Amino acid sequence: GMLRAVIRAKALRPAVGGFRRHYSQTVQGEQLELSLTLDQASVGDVLENPYEITITEGIRDAWHGCFYQHDRLYTSDVFAQKLGFKRMLLPYSFLLHAAGAVSHADDTRSVLDLSIEDAVYERPAYLGDTIRKEYYIQDLRTTSEGDSSLLKVKCALVNQDNERVFSMSKRMLFKGTTSKQGVRDMRKPAKNNKAPPSLVLDQISHRSSILSRSNALARLHEGQLILHSLARPIGKSMSMLFATMFRMTHPSLFNTKRFEHNEILVPGGVMLSQVHACCARGLYEILYEQLDHAQLLNPIEPDDVIGAISYVHSIKELKSNPDLEEVTLQTWGIKGVDVAYELSNVEMPVDIFSTEPARRAELDEKLKDACPELQGKVVSNHLRRLVRQSPRTETMFLL
């Protein structure tokens, strides 16, 4: 319920005949309603978001200090300029978290991030850009139990030139609240599976021929299972910092008075970004990436060690440039496991991997027999499409 503060003040004034009469004044505190509620929301509604943020060096450097990044498009001005960009781009995962950091989620309810779809880097985004967010409701329905609501919202980042630089769709669960608009909100909108085009990819494809041909550490092949060596916790301070920096306000991210320490959650975008960071070195060098879908299957605490494994589903030439390859791979974020050591001799059935979205209960049922070491440990499932240079025989070792 809403925390209410009551302030009482008493004043004594002289009265006729020497008696004192007591006067009291009472004011009851109220919260200003700045959050998104679903009482009047409908499919197609645009959610106003007045916030803007100019991306400073401090913001970008704090991100690089927490999330390992090996791809030169995000770390080297010289490399980015070879590809025709003004300077290095803001990291893909940085924009993924920024787009999904909803500043106006209802902080009186339990709100959980469920999944991401079609996360596309549409236009270049640079240090110094001023970014604002646009949201609109794509789907809204009551859960089968009838006591909560599922919300699908389109999230877009728009720069100072009113150009959309990044977009994705996000599903959220609002526990204990339903829309009052009735069945009108439960309709299912026409499904559009077509992701927006990327001018970033077009630019990379057009200019990639000038790059050295020896920048692939290892060949990837279909059916390969990669145990990524990096595993680390996000940490309480960094989790709260990136929630605050991107203007998230839900008390489950911060409030240790209302929530026990083991109940404080990590923002969904931060968790997904940490999983991508764990993969960065082993997948070097990613020129472009796109997240087709991701599901957040189990919440994590800030001190949980996070690692990752990736299964390569397919590798094919990029249609627009045969010198580039498009890799479709599935990544699992894994908590509480030192992946490179604890899974090095574990045999996993191929059929536990799929390009389809994952459901927690179904996946845990599969893992119970197929790989009990991971049962209850898979925190996220990502289907990613990566664009890399087609490998040559030369190898460059990373120190």
Side-chain angles (χ1 to χ4, degrees), residues 83 85 121-122 197-208 288 318 320-321 324:
L83 290 172
F85 298 106
Y121 207 145
E122 296 188 36
S198 171
L199 297 180
V200 175
L201 177 58
D202 290 346
Q203 178 78 10
I204 292 168
S205 176
H206 179 67
R207 296 290 295 269
S208 64
Y288 174 82
L318 188 68
S320 59
N321 187 337
L324 301 178

Side-chain angles (χ1 to χ4, degrees), residues 57-281:
E57 287 187 358
I59 294 173
R60 183 200 59 190
D61 293 348
W63 185 269
H64 278 303
C66 185
F67 300 102
Y68 186 87
Q69 182 65 67
H70 222 91
D71 303 310
R72 289 178 290 172
L73 184 60
Y74 308 131
T75 63
S76 168
D77 283 337
V78 172
F79 183 83
Q81 287 163 0
K82 286 181 180 179
L83 290 172
F85 298 106
K86 293 189 294 185
R87 51 188 175 275
M88 73 179 90
L89 303 188
L90 295 174
Y92 176 90
S93 292
F94 178 96
L95 299 179
L96 177 75
H97 174 51
V102 180
S103 303
H104 44 18
D106 187 350
D107 57 13
T108 67
R109 305 286 185 181
S110 177
V111 181
L112 298 176
D113 292 338
L114 299 182
S115 65
I116 301 294
E117 297 174 14
D118 294 331
V120 180
Y121 207 145
E122 296 188 36
R123 289 178 177 82
Y126 300 105
L127 181 71
D129 281 356
T130 296
I131 300 296
R132 60 182 173 84
K133 304 176 188 179
E134 293 181 350
Y135 300 108
Y136 67 88
I137 297 176
Q138 294 178 297
D139 195 10
L140 177 61
R141 60 188 61 240
T142 301
T143 58
S144 56
E145 293 81 4
D147 59 352
S148 300
S149 289
L150 292 167
L151 174 71
K152 182 179 180 182
V153 60
K154 182 77 169 184
C155 311
L157 298 179
V158 180
N159 66 15
Q160 66 278 2
D161 298 320
N162 208 35
E163 297 173 328
R164 196 167 73 179
V165 298
F166 191 92
S167 67
M168 68 182 197
S169 295
K170 174 180 177 178
R171 292 185 185 272
M172 306 167 69
L173 176 68
F174 287 71
K175 290 188 175 180
T177 182
T178 56
S179 170
K180 294 181 179 178
Q181 292 291 325
V183 296
R184 182 166 72 91
D185 291 325
M186 296 175 64
R187 65 191 178 186
K188 189 171 183 179
K191 190 172 183 179
N192 181 8
N193 290 322
K194 188 175 182 180
S198 171
L199 297 180
V200 175
L201 177 58
D202 290 346
Q203 178 78 10
I204 292 168
S205 176
H206 179 67
R207 296 290 295 269
S208 64
S209 60
I210 68 171
L211 300 179
S212 166
R213 302 302 302 169
S214 60
N215 64 346
L217 174 63
R219 293 175 180 269
L220 302 181
H221 58 84
E222 294 182 0
Q224 183 179 17
L225 180 63
I226 305 168
L227 306 179
H228 298 289
S229 58
L230 180 62
R232 58 161 288 180
I234 294 167
K236 288 186 175 69
S237 295
M238 295 307 286
S239 178
M240 292 186 181
L241 183 147
F242 287 118
T244 304
M245 186 176 287
F246 290 85
R247 309 303 187 259
M248 304 180 77
T249 60
H250 199 277
S252 63
L253 304 173
F254 312 100
N255 193 332
T256 54
K257 182 69 174 179
R258 192 181 308 180
F259 297 90
E260 299 294 333
H261 284 278
N262 62 357
E263 295 175 327
I264 295 295
L265 299 179
V266 173
V270 170
M271 184 175 81
L272 296 177
S273 298
Q274 181 60 34
V275 174
H276 290 182
C278 290
C279 304
R281 185 177 186 275

Side-chain angles (χ1 to χ4, degrees), residues 346-359:
V346 176
E347 296 284 340
M348 299 187 198
V350 173
D351 62 5
I352 65 175
F353 300 104
S354 170
T355 58
E356 296 299 315
R359 295 179 179 271

Side-chain angles (χ1 to χ4, degrees), residues 278-351:
C278 290
C279 304
R281 185 177 186 275
L283 298 176
Y284 181 85
E285 181 172 33
I286 299 171
L287 297 176
Y288 174 82
E289 61 184 300
Q290 186 165 311
L291 184 62
D292 285 354
H293 62 74
Q295 299 77 50
L296 292 89
L297 303 175
N298 286 291
I300 63 171
E301 300 173 24
D303 291 333
D304 284 336
V305 172
I306 303 300
I309 65 175
S310 294
Y311 179 81
V312 180
H313 283 283
S314 67
I315 302 176
K316 60 184 181 182
E317 286 185 356
L318 188 68
K319 291 181 180 179
S320 59
N321 187 337
D323 289 332
L324 301 178
E325 64 179 18
E326 182 180 88
V327 182
T328 299
L329 81 165
Q330 178 183 5
T331 296
W332 283 351
I334 298 173
K335 69 176 178 180
V337 177
D338 189 345
V339 168
Y341 285 91
E342 296 181 48
L343 300 181
S344 59
N345 297 313
V346 176
E347 296 284 340
M348 299 187 198
V350 173
D351 62 5

